[in-house]
Amino acid sequence: MPIIDLYEHSEQRHNLAHFATLASLAAADGVISEKEKAILDKFAFKLNITDAEYKEVMKKENKYPIETPHSGEKRLKRLFDFFGMAFADNNLDEEQMELVVKYAIGLGYSPQKASLIIKKSIAIFTGKIAFEDYQYLMDK
């Protein structure tokens, strides 16, 4: 097997874990709204999640660990995606907020840094900005 096949497999595993985390956030309040489902569908396409993987992830008993990317930009991108899902219904409830905090820490941010990034992100996401703008603001 060529080394590139191993990389692609590993990347797909990371994508699946990221998608599973997004799905957990969407289901945190017990219901996946139509808007959240539409966003999950977009992420499934973007992350190359198969129909079988999608169905497996959506089972309530499934729990996937948070995969931490080594790149700071990839970690921030995953957090950006996570906030996109959190704000899909224009509401960040208490359960979702707990997941956001756990996810940020799970991605490798210290609790203090996670708190700062979350505070900034909540302020930013009320205005819906592009990732490049988000990244710029997070680096400040």
Side-chain angles (χ1 to χ4, degrees):
M1 170 186 303
I3 191 76
I4 191 70
D5 289 345
L6 293 173
Y7 176 77
E8 288 173 354
H9 176 71
S10 176
E11 186 69 21
Q12 183 59 22
R13 185 174 56 82
H14 292 296
N15 286 347
L16 181 59
H18 181 49
F19 178 75
T21 304
L22 292 170
S24 294
L25 176 62
D29 59 2
V31 177
I32 296 177
S33 70
E34 288 296 319
K35 197 169 186 180
E36 289 169 328
K37 172 82 168 79
I39 290 172
L40 280 175
D41 291 346
K42 286 179 187 177
F43 277 114
F45 179 78
K46 179 180 174 182
L47 297 170
N48 296 317
I49 304 300
T50 67
D51 288 340
E53 290 169 331
Y54 192 108
K55 288 176 186 174
E56 187 65 27
V57 164
M58 298 310 285
K59 291 180 182 175
K60 285 188 178 189
E61 66 275 6
N62 283 341
K63 303 266 184 194
Y64 289 86
I66 297 173
E67 297 278 338
T68 305
H70 296 291
S71 158
E73 183 177 340
K74 282 187 179 182
R75 286 189 305 163
L76 196 57
K77 176 71 169 116
R78 293 217 171 164
L79 196 57
F80 177 81
D81 291 346
F82 204 72
F83 270 101
M85 180 58 69
F87 280 94
D89 58 2
N90 298 318
N91 181 35
L92 187 64
D93 63 33
E94 191 174 318
E95 285 183 333
Q96 288 175 322
M97 185 61 172
E98 287 176 20
L99 281 174
V100 168
V101 170
K102 286 180 185 179
Y103 189 59
I105 293 170
L107 283 173
Y109 295 105
S110 70
Q112 296 80 15
K113 181 72 172 174
S115 178
L116 180 64
I117 288 173
I118 290 166
K119 185 178 177 181
K120 285 182 179 181
S121 296
I122 289 170
I124 291 166
F125 265 84
T126 56
K128 299 206 182 212
I129 63 170
F131 172 68
E132 293 76 19
D133 295 333
Y134 177 77
Q135 184 177 21
Y136 174 78
L137 290 169
M138 287 297 120
D139 289 339
K140 295 293 165 201

